[in-house]
Amino acid sequence: MKKNLSGDIATGLLSPALRTRFLELFSVASRKSVFAWSEAALSRAQVLVLDASAGHVDLPHWPPCVIWVGEPPARWIRASIWVGRLPPDYTVADLIDMLDRAAVFLMDWKARQPQPQSQPVFVPVGAQALATGQGAGATARYRLTSWVALAAPFNGPSYLRALAMLAREAVTVAQLQEHGGLAPEQASALLVELRQRGVLRTQVAALPPAGRPLAHPSAGAGQRRLVQRLTHWLRGAIRA
């Protein structure tokens, strides 16, 4: 699995003192967030960080997310889709939480952008297949078609990890249980809930012809390592 859970953040419009402090905390928070964040020029950033010292900001193109340090000026026009605010005395934990909120929004925002016409073949499966993962010869994989906010009991940390995986790529029930931290009955209930809401797609991979050797076990090692790192980041953000 290629790592594309990443985002670019622009800090050049912060006052020098606030920017120095922000980057110091950002160097820690960016490693614990859902996304792998990096600083970038405003022209290619998805997140812009501002403070009141920026005064009147008139940009030809606003990124989808803005994070304010302190209170935004009264005359500021909300030009971006998502806006967050950090208190003046924010901590690393506050910044991790803000970056994670921006990441969740961007996953949904990117999912709603026009997609290439070529798509995998998805077929519906029954509730029993969702519950066991055995529906299509244990080859069924599931993916979110759009981000959805779920109420209890599906709004806990384990479910957030599972939803992040489903938003990233098509995964099996076993992957949801192993890397999402869900019990079998929890994974089953989550998939059924998502299917009932109409935001779940099921992909069935073709089985290899008889006699063809399966891929070497090490072929998926990189994918497993990345998912484990994502799980580690999420757990670190939740503990912070």
Side-chain angles (χ1 to χ4, degrees):
M1 178 177 66
K2 293 183 179 180
K3 179 181 176 182
N4 62 2
L5 286 172
S6 60
D8 295 317
I9 188 167
T11 63
L13 295 181
L14 286 173
S15 66
L18 289 179
R19 185 168 185 263
T20 298
R21 182 171 183 271
F22 182 90
L23 292 179
E24 180 181 352
L25 274 61
F26 178 72
S27 66
V28 178
S30 61
R31 298 195 300 269
K32 295 187 176 183
S33 175
V34 177
F35 273 19
W37 293 98
S38 57
E39 191 182 11
L42 178 57
S43 60
R44 64 183 183 87
Q46 294 92 43
V47 179
L48 171 63
V49 186
L50 291 172
D51 71 289
S53 68
H56 178 65
V57 182
D58 185 14
L59 300 177
H61 173 71
W62 286 80
C65 299
V66 167
I67 295 176
W68 279 93
V69 178
E71 291 290 343
R75 67 178 182 277
W76 182 69
I77 299 175
R78 183 170 174 162
S80 287
I81 303 172
W82 180 90
V83 179
R85 191 184 76 83
L86 289 168
D89 58 346
Y90 67 95
T91 64
V92 170
D94 293 330
L95 184 53
I96 292 171
D97 178 68
M98 189 59 60
L99 292 175
D100 282 350
R101 291 174 185 272
V104 168
F105 169 81
L106 286 172
M107 282 191 288
D108 178 48
W109 179 76
K110 290 178 180 179
R112 289 185 278 106
Q113 303 308 301
Q115 299 296 318
Q117 293 300 314
S118 177
Q119 297 290 339
V121 176
F122 292 91
V123 298
V125 294
Q128 182 63 26
L130 287 172
T132 64
Q134 303 297 318
T139 61
R141 292 177 179 268
Y142 308 98
R143 185 169 186 175
L144 283 180
T145 58
S146 62
W147 188 265
V148 60
L150 299 179
F154 303 109
N155 55 355
S158 295
Y159 290 108
L160 176 60
R161 288 194 293 271
L163 287 170
M165 291 178 63
L166 289 164
R168 165 63 184 86
E169 67 167 356
V171 297
T172 65
V173 173
Q175 287 174 313
L176 284 180
Q177 295 175 16
E178 180 179 358
H179 302 298
L182 296 178
E185 62 274 13
Q186 290 176 314
S188 169
L190 175 62
L191 292 174
V192 171
E193 175 72 13
L194 294 173
R195 186 186 181 201
Q196 291 175 344
R197 287 174 172 263
V199 295
L200 186 70
R201 283 187 176 180
T202 304
Q203 175 184 355
V204 179
L207 294 173
R212 177 180 293 183
L214 296 174
H216 193 277
S218 63
Q223 176 176 340
R224 290 193 296 272
R225 284 196 298 270
L226 181 54
V227 174
Q228 288 166 356
R229 288 176 63 190
L230 171 60
T231 303
H232 173 73
W233 291 336
L234 282 164
R235 286 174 179 165
I238 292 165
R239 287 197 302 268

